[in-house]
Amino acid sequence: MTFPPAELEEYISPPQLHERIKELGKQITQDYQGKELVVIGVLNGCVLFYSDLIRHIDLPIICDFLGLSSYGSETKSSGVVRFTKDLSHAIQDKDVLIVEDIVDTGLTLSFLKDNLKTRQPRSLKICSLLSKPDRRKVEVEVDYIGFTIGDHFVVGYGLDLDGKFRNLPYIGIFL
Ligand code: IMP
Ligand code: MG
């Protein structure tokens, strides 16, 4: 079996990812000057983006993670979401930044935002590497977006298809 398969094409290259993530880190650093930030990664898709992004945030940060699973097929969000892992720390009165791989229909993030708001953070913002605005079913404000893309299914750099392709160093698209 050849890996990656021939029908997978590079869509966003490693240098493009690196440059944009550096900019996001700089922006976040400026916006949260003088604050301590809790950076929450949404597993599993966030892993590569998260680890690169936090290296460009020059602030005292607390790292935490949560796991979400959407019922339904791998490629379609049903909006019915459950926690597979909860946070390790309380976020009451904290400045919180959620780090996601992609916002598609917005259903997952909308559920997550509502849930975390009940824990009364001082502020709650979202940073997503990718956004597919054409696919939105619910309006959800995304404060920091790496790349806005069209209605394509993408894999790599943390994003999966049936659990695979997360380890690719680029964002790829199936031809
Ligand atoms: P939403 O609830 O529709 O916004 O879906 C969000 C989740 O669906 C993401 O966190 C991903 O796990 C998955 N997803 C949506 N689009 C893609 C894609 O193009 N590639 C890989 N996963 C995706
Ligand atoms: Mg997924």
Side-chain angles (χ1 to χ4, degrees), residues 116-154:
L116 295 186
K117 271 186 193 158
T118 66
R119 308 183 194 192
Q120 300 172 314
R122 183 185 300 136
S123 68
L124 182 62
K125 283 193 180 183
I126 295 166
C127 176
S128 181
L129 177 64
L130 303 171
S131 174
K132 293 195 229 179
D134 301 345
R135 299 248 319 151
R136 261 337 164 265
K137 285 186 183 159
V138 288
E139 268 319 306
V140 52
E141 194 182 340
V142 187
D143 304 276
Y144 305 96
I145 296 173
F147 300 88
T148 298
I149 65 171
D151 183 4
H152 318 293
F153 194 81
V154 291

Side-chain angles (χ1 to χ4, degrees), residues 1-121:
M1 178 197 153
T2 48
F3 185 87
E7 60 276 18
L8 188 66
E9 188 175 73
E10 186 174 283
Y11 183 59
I12 306 175
S13 71
Q16 283 176 302
L17 288 166
H18 181 81
E19 273 315 301
R20 184 68 189 122
I21 291 166
K22 216 165 110 182
E23 287 173 5
L24 287 173
K26 212 170 156 184
Q27 184 68 54
I28 292 164
T29 302
Q30 280 172 12
D31 294 352
Y32 288 92
Q33 260 327 299
K35 292 182 175 156
E36 187 188 86
L37 186 60
V38 180
V39 185
I40 297 177
V42 183
L43 298 170
N44 297 325
C46 75
V47 285
L48 274 73
F49 176 43
Y50 185 98
S51 64
D52 284 338
L53 179 67
I54 60 170
R55 279 179 264 199
H56 294 288
I57 302 178
D58 300 320
L59 297 169
I61 65 165
I62 305 286
C63 297
D64 208 344
F65 297 91
L66 56 82
L68 289 180
S69 179
S70 173
Y71 292 101
S73 77
E74 253 302 304
T75 56
K76 279 207 180 66
S77 185
S78 62
V80 185
V81 185
R82 73 189 162 92
F83 278 87
T84 55
K85 181 205 176 300
D86 205 342
L87 295 174
S88 305
H89 307 93
I91 55 168
Q92 186 166 17
D93 297 328
K94 306 282 186 192
D95 290 302
V96 173
L97 182 68
I98 302 172
V99 176
E100 256 280 28
D101 53 357
I102 190 164
V103 186
D104 184 26
T105 62
L107 292 166
T108 305
L109 210 50
S110 159
F111 163 87
L112 181 59
K113 242 181 150 171
D114 289 347
N115 182 288
L116 295 186
K117 271 186 193 158
T118 66
R119 308 183 194 192
Q120 300 172 314

